[in-house]
Amino acid sequence: MGRAHRAVARDDWPVRTAEAAWAIRRERYAGWLENGSGTLLLATDADKLVRL
């Protein structure tokens, strides 16, 4: 998504780096899990975690 935003905004508007955007999202996701308002779904196959 950041790439698309950078392509549109060019140098006219600031766009976060992918790393900075992930840090913000990760903090939000962790908060949802901590306060109980989020749900974590995991895919398994024969009791092994499926990595996507």
Side-chain angles (χ1 to χ4, degrees), residues 17-34:
T17 64
E19 293 80 12
W22 169 243
I24 293 167
R25 285 193 321 276
R26 185 185 187 287
E27 185 175 339
R28 184 175 299 146
Y29 299 158
W32 291 339
L33 293 172
E34 284 179 19

Side-chain angles (χ1 to χ4, degrees), residues 2 4-6 8 13 21 24 27 30 32 34 40 44 49 51:
H5 289 164
R6 263 185 232 91
V8 172
W13 297 91
I24 293 167
E27 185 175 339
W32 291 339
E34 284 179 19
L40 178 64
T44 61
L49 184 63
R51 296 185 62 112

Side-chain angles (χ1 to χ4, degrees), residues 33-51:
L33 293 172
E34 284 179 19
N35 71 24
S37 66
T39 302
L40 178 64
L41 303 174
L42 300 173
T44 61
D45 183 15
D47 295 328
K48 292 184 181 183
L49 184 63
V50 176
R51 296 185 62 112

